[in-house]
Amino acid sequence: MSEKIRVLISEEDVQKRIEALGEQISKDYEGKTVHIIGILKGGAYMMIDLSKRINVPVTLDFMSVSSYGNGTVSKGIVKIVKDLDEPLEGKDVLIVEDIIDTGRTLHHLKELLYARKPASIRLCTLLDKPDRRVVDDVNVDYCGFRIPDEFVVGCGLDYAQKYRNLPYIGVVELNED
């Protein structure tokens, strides 16, 4: 079996949208420091691009949360692989994800982080698949693109650890060889 990648969102469109998100976040956090939590591995790509476009003070931390393994469908089991290095109490937190699908991972993560007493928590994602949502209380504050229910790669998103480095969003099309 081989994979073919079809471009869904061009590199230029991705960069323009991230720039617009950075401008909006800068306005919304004016006078504050935004503490960005990048969700590894894929969210690191979005976090780095986005943080360069935010004009207010930024602090960074990372967390690794897994719910996929090597498959293309979320298993619904959320595992914390790497926790934060810094406490959150009193901080204005912005969680940055590559994609929100069922919402299970973010639902679990927000519950965990709210218990750490931040001043606020907002959510930013490059991609949102609202048609796949099974958890209702995951509200996206900053969304790059809403996309159809297709398995996508690029800009941090992978298929079995491949294709994260693509500068565009592509759809994986599996071919029988």
Side-chain angles (χ1 to χ4, degrees):
M1 187 171 308
S2 66
E3 304 107 29
K4 180 181 176 204
I5 309 298
R6 173 176 47 87
V7 176
L8 181 65
I9 304 169
S10 72
E11 178 180 6
E12 181 182 351
D13 288 344
V14 167
Q15 291 305 313
K16 282 181 186 175
R17 185 65 186 128
I18 292 172
E19 185 173 333
L21 289 171
E23 289 173 9
Q24 185 60 54
I25 290 165
S26 296
K27 288 177 190 170
D28 293 349
Y29 284 90
E30 189 172 345
K32 298 180 180 180
T33 296
V34 59
H35 185 68
I36 300 176
I37 298 173
I39 306 302
L40 298 171
K41 296 178 184 169
Y45 289 76
M46 171 68 171
M47 176 180 152
I48 291 164
D49 279 350
L50 180 65
S51 67
K52 291 186 285 186
R53 291 165 175 87
I54 295 175
N55 298 321
V56 297
V58 169
T59 58
L60 307 174
D61 205 344
F62 292 95
M63 191 169 208
S64 183
V65 183
S66 175
S67 66
Y68 279 87
N70 284 334
T72 61
V73 178
S74 173
K75 294 178 172 81
I77 300 165
V78 177
K79 180 173 112 181
I80 305 249
V81 179
K82 182 218 175 291
D83 207 341
L84 299 171
D85 294 330
E86 308 243 344
L88 295 182
E89 189 166 349
K91 294 182 179 179
D92 290 297
V93 171
L94 179 65
I95 301 169
V96 176
E97 263 282 28
D98 51 4
I99 191 166
I100 300 175
D101 191 278
T102 64
R104 286 184 185 112
T105 301
L106 267 297
H107 170 78
H108 178 79
L109 187 58
K110 283 179 80 173
E111 280 186 354
L112 175 76
L113 297 181
Y114 270 121
R116 298 178 186 189
K117 299 182 172 87
S120 66
I121 295 180
R122 291 185 182 174
L123 178 58
C124 178
T125 187
L126 179 59
L127 304 174
D128 188 12
K129 285 187 188 178
D131 292 343
R132 299 252 317 137
R133 198 81 83 244
V134 297
V135 178
D136 293 331
D137 68 344
V138 175
N139 299 315
V140 179
D141 299 286
Y142 307 100
C143 178
F145 301 92
R146 285 185 173 76
I147 62 168
D149 185 12
E150 296 185 279
F151 193 78
V152 292
V153 294
C155 299
L157 294 141
D158 74 294
Y159 172 64
Q161 297 298 329
K162 296 187 296 187
Y163 308 119
R164 285 187 198 280
N165 60 317
L166 296 175
Y168 58 86
I169 301 298
V171 176
V172 175
E173 296 175 341
L174 299 174
N175 301 314
E176 298 289 331
D177 288 335

